[in-house]
Amino acid sequence: METNSQLNKVAQITILFWLMKIVATTLGETFGDFISMTLNLGYLISLGITALVFIIILLVQLNCKKYIPYVYWLVIIATTTLGTEISDFIDRSLHLGYTGGSILLFTGLITTLFLWKKKFNSLNVFPIISKNKEIYYWIAILFSNSLGTAFGDYLSDVVGLSYLQGAFVTAAIIIVVVVVHYATKINEVVLFWLAFIFTRPFGATFGDFLTKPTAKGGLDLGTLNASMVALIVIVLLIYLEHRRQKIEQTIYKL
């Protein structure tokens, strides 16, 4: 008989998970900018394209019976790419600004978590077996990735930090969350979502650092080249995650 952990449909929270999350957010930022800016499709069309891709991949994930690394991480990448387009659309098309956009997205995230908690009496993110709970999980992830994008842009465009400085600020926040996790008894679910939100602007600001012109403090690699580098790294990490899962399954069978 299969255990709950075997029937689980989402990634286990490990160091590898956070590394993959950061690289996925970098890829989402650079590829999102490639679609809207480099291809010059505009924010509304780019939003429609990335939303459609997200829905298709999400439906595949929801119909999987178990956690499949490459499907799960494709959804994560899709949420980071869509999150980039949502944030840019709110700021540049709706003209709400990154401050207003951050407040709007934060409200959406808190509302989702409130409804999740009310329905299931828990916000545990692992394991997740129920499809209904998984839907809340992905909605919360989409809001948190969009919020992280808006916050990262807020640091650079409103506060005036360089892209590298923004990455250092968000990295410092992540380190504080890790220290608090090990040094206090603060609810782990709260810390998870804090870390999840702030790994997004860390990856986003690092993505901007790779792509933006040197005059703006970037490396000027271009959105396509930076996306290819991030894609290669995330494929390697997904392979390592797949190997880790296989080893766990082998140990269980023994």
Side-chain angles (χ1 to χ4, degrees), residues 100-172:
S102 296
I103 294 172
L104 179 63
L105 293 168
F106 179 75
T107 302
L109 175 60
I110 293 300
T111 301
T112 301
L113 294 178
F114 171 78
L115 294 175
W116 179 352
K117 172 72 172 178
K118 184 177 180 180
K119 184 173 180 63
F120 298 101
N121 199 34
S122 169
L123 288 174
N124 292 337
V125 295
F126 183 89
I128 289 181
I129 301 169
S130 164
K131 183 179 292 188
N132 289 336
K133 182 182 289 188
E134 189 182 3
I135 291 173
Y136 280 94
Y137 175 86
W138 288 114
I139 292 174
I141 283 180
L142 179 58
F143 270 121
S144 65
N145 277 329
S146 302
L147 173 60
T149 303
F151 182 75
D153 289 332
Y154 172 84
L155 289 178
S156 59
D157 292 1
V158 179
V159 178
L161 299 181
S162 69
Y163 299 114
L164 194 56
Q165 288 172 333
F168 282 132
V169 168
T170 50

Side-chain angles (χ1 to χ4, degrees), residues 12-250:
Q12 187 174 354
I13 312 305
T14 63
I15 293 177
L16 183 58
F17 171 90
W18 291 115
L19 288 175
M20 295 171 75
K21 169 62 166 58
I22 291 170
V23 177
T25 58
T26 301
L27 176 58
E29 178 72 13
T30 58
F31 190 62
D33 287 344
F34 172 76
I35 295 173
S36 62
M37 298 178 185
T38 305
L39 295 182
N40 198 30
L41 294 180
Y43 297 115
L44 182 59
I45 294 177
S46 300
L47 178 62
I49 292 172
T50 53
L52 179 61
V53 171
F54 165 70
I55 291 170
I56 292 172
I57 299 174
L58 178 60
L59 289 174
V60 174
Q61 164 66 23
L62 291 174
N63 284 285
C64 290
K65 301 301 182 182
K66 299 179 182 179
Y67 167 58
I68 302 174
Y70 73 87
V71 176
Y72 174 90
W73 286 101
L74 276 176
V75 184
I76 291 289
I77 293 170
T79 63
T80 63
T81 307
L82 178 56
T84 297
E85 305 301 345
I86 290 173
S87 175
D88 288 343
F89 180 76
I90 290 173
D91 172 64
R92 297 165 190 175
S93 296
L94 299 182
H95 305 292
L96 294 181
Y98 290 120
T99 303
S102 296
I103 294 172
L104 179 63
L105 293 168
F106 179 75
T107 302
L109 175 60
I110 293 300
T111 301
T112 301
L113 294 178
F114 171 78
L115 294 175
W116 179 352
K117 172 72 172 178
K118 184 177 180 180
K119 184 173 180 63
F120 298 101
N121 199 34
S122 169
L123 288 174
N124 292 337
V125 295
F126 183 89
I128 289 181
I129 301 169
S130 164
K131 183 179 292 188
N132 289 336
K133 182 182 289 188
E134 189 182 3
I135 291 173
Y136 280 94
Y137 175 86
W138 288 114
I139 292 174
I141 283 180
L142 179 58
F143 270 121
S144 65
N145 277 329
S146 302
L147 173 60
T149 303
F151 182 75
D153 289 332
Y154 172 84
L155 289 178
S156 59
D157 292 1
V158 179
V159 178
L161 299 181
S162 69
Y163 299 114
L164 194 56
Q165 288 172 333
F168 282 132
V169 168
T170 50
I173 294 173
I174 295 168
I175 291 172
V176 170
V177 172
V178 172
V179 171
V180 170
H181 167 70
Y182 287 105
T184 71
K185 295 182 179 180
I186 293 178
N187 188 287
E188 291 186 358
V189 174
V190 173
L191 295 178
F192 168 82
W193 287 110
L194 283 174
F196 201 95
I197 290 169
F198 286 109
T199 50
R200 180 63 177 99
F202 177 75
T205 50
F206 189 70
D208 285 334
F209 173 66
L210 295 176
T211 60
K212 299 302 182 182
T214 52
K216 292 186 177 181
L219 294 181
D220 200 19
L221 294 182
T223 56
L224 181 58
N225 290 335
S227 296
M228 293 303 296
V229 170
L231 179 61
I232 292 171
V233 175
I234 194 66
V235 168
L236 175 60
L237 292 174
I238 290 174
Y239 171 76
L240 293 176
E241 171 69 358
H242 178 74
R243 292 289 300 168
R244 184 194 67 79
Q245 184 190 32
K246 288 293 184 183
I247 292 172
E248 281 190 354
Q249 291 175 347
T250 301

